[in-house]
Amino acid sequence: MTDKKQAAPSSSSTRTRRQVLKQAVGLGAGLAATSLLGGEASAAPRIRSGTFTTSDGVALNYLEAGRGRPLLLLHGWSQSAALYRAQILAFARHHHVFALDWRGHGESEKPEHGYRMARFSRDLYEFIRGMGLKHLSVLGHSMGCGALYGYWDNYGGRYIDRLILVDVGPAMTAWPDWSAEEAVEAGALFTPQTLHETAAALRGPDGIATTYGLVATMFTPGYPADQLALVVEQNLKLPREYAAKLLVNQAEQDWRDVIPRIDVPTLVVGGEASIFNPISQQRVADQIPGAELLLFGADEGGSHFMWLENPEKFNEDVLDFLG
């Protein structure tokens, strides 16, 4: 990460922040063992839930905690706001935190329509505007970044002051005429054929097994099996038919013409052991004026889900960026 202009914190303040983060991470570890909205220690921020209804009548669940400057957390494909528990508890000590469940995901309503990035970007705009959020910092992981790129394309970054873009390729499906170098820089994971084959497997009779296999590739081999099972459990809250549609639509987007138009302070986060080549994250950072790049090493839990594998470091780095 590039050097900050402000003075470095003293060793005593650094220890204090790390102690707070360790407490928050510990509180967040029992994601499925206890209710997300209850059972926190009295010193921890209280997490509340709410519902926002979109213009097409879909009830979106969100989690909320803390006070101060607003910070919105956006999860990725087939995930949920509940997976951000450790982040919510840590960030809410400094910010008014919101974590949104996309339509069909988590505890949100699961309509039969709208599983495309254009609608998700619209949902995001309506949520931000409807909740009266201004001077907003937004953290997007994976598909959450795609929704932000769509937002930027349509609304020009309105209401947003800072971005944290966590680990996604700007073009996930390679065209047949791309060079190997272009595919790496774009973060391509699929060809058109393999994308549709994967989607067909997701909505087929082995959809649960396919989901488990996909999710497992997004973590380092040492990630605990019981914690991986909890992540898969959250993934399966999105019906597999809708997950397949959304995966195809997400992966067919090419955001490389949008990214250079981002004009707010931005932190790009990637991992050396991620499914997305870290070169693609370097490319994203290079395209955004003044952006900072943070790469988690493989020995630091630097997978696609580095914020679950190493929440203490992730939370501290994000808070350092937000100031």
Side-chain angles (χ1 to χ4, degrees):
M1 183 183 293
T2 58
D3 294 334
K4 303 284 196 307
K5 292 183 179 179
Q6 64 265 31
S10 66
S11 59
S12 60
S13 65
T14 300
R15 284 197 300 272
T16 300
R17 170 170 280 185
R18 286 177 177 167
Q19 289 167 356
V20 168
L21 289 171
K22 285 180 180 178
Q23 180 186 19
V25 169
L27 289 167
L31 173 64
T34 61
S35 168
L36 180 64
L37 304 180
E40 293 101 353
S42 59
R46 187 173 75 88
I47 299 175
R48 307 174 295 278
S49 64
T51 301
F52 175 83
T53 302
T54 65
S55 60
D56 63 341
V58 178
L60 302 181
N61 177 70
Y62 65 90
L63 304 177
E64 178 183 5
R67 296 180 179 179
R69 292 176 295 169
L71 170 62
L72 175 60
L73 310 180
L74 303 174
H75 65 77
W77 171 82
S78 202
Q79 300 169 31
S80 75
L83 293 175
Y84 279 132
R85 179 184 175 89
Q87 282 67 49
I88 295 170
L89 291 173
F91 298 157
R93 298 178 182 276
H94 309 274
H95 298 271
H96 190 175
V97 181
F98 298 83
L100 179 67
D101 274 330
W102 297 114
R103 64 175 59 211
H105 294 72
E107 304 308 314
S108 287
E109 189 176 352
K110 302 175 188 341
E112 296 180 352
H113 63 279
Y115 297 98
R116 59 183 61 88
M117 298 310 298
R119 182 66 239 189
F120 277 43
S121 298
R122 178 72 184 181
D123 289 347
L124 176 58
Y125 176 77
E126 291 179 2
F127 179 78
I128 290 173
R129 186 173 181 180
M131 298 294 291
L133 303 179
K134 298 180 180 179
H135 305 295
L136 178 63
S137 299
V138 187
L139 183 155
H141 173 243
S142 197
M143 187 195 71
C145 296
L148 280 167
Y149 294 151
Y151 183 100
W152 219 271
D153 201 24
N154 286 290
Y155 311 109
R158 191 177 183 188
Y159 308 121
I160 297 177
D161 281 1
R162 285 178 179 265
L163 289 177
I164 302 101
L165 303 174
V166 185
D167 205 49
V168 74
M172 292 173 57
T173 302
W175 287 42
D177 60 347
W178 284 7
S179 67
E181 181 181 8
E182 186 173 8
V184 167
E185 289 186 350
L189 301 179
F190 302 102
T191 66
Q193 180 70 23
T194 60
L195 172 60
H196 286 271
E197 288 174 349
T198 302
L202 277 171
R203 68 181 185 182
D206 296 324
I208 293 177
T210 299
T211 299
Y212 198 99
L214 280 175
V215 173
T217 66
M218 300 179 190
F219 288 85
T220 61
Y223 193 68
D226 59 339
Q227 295 299 307
L228 180 63
L230 298 182
V231 176
V232 173
E233 180 181 330
Q234 292 297 313
N235 271 247
L236 293 175
K237 291 187 175 184
L238 174 64
R240 296 298 83 188
E241 174 71 23
Y242 304 155
K245 291 180 179 179
L246 183 58
L247 177 65
V248 170
N249 188 266
Q250 172 199 358
E252 288 182 336
Q253 306 300 317
D254 185 341
W255 302 112
R256 290 177 296 174
D257 63 324
V258 176
I259 291 170
R261 291 188 274 140
I262 295 173
D263 58 358
V264 299
T266 300
L267 174 66
V268 178
V269 184
E272 292 181 356
S274 172
I275 55 173
F276 292 104
N277 193 304
I279 292 174
S280 67
Q281 303 312 294
Q282 178 70 66
R283 183 63 174 165
V284 170
D286 289 345
Q287 293 294 304
I288 301 173
E292 302 179 37
L293 175 67
L294 173 65
L295 289 178
F296 280 61
D299 60 345
E300 296 176 308
S303 69
H304 185 53
F305 282 91
M306 79 292 289
W307 49 275
L308 282 177
E309 296 213 38
N310 194 345
E312 182 182 348
K313 173 176 167 52
F314 181 87
N315 296 350
E316 185 174 5
D317 287 333
V318 169
L319 286 173
D320 284 346
F321 171 74
L322 292 174

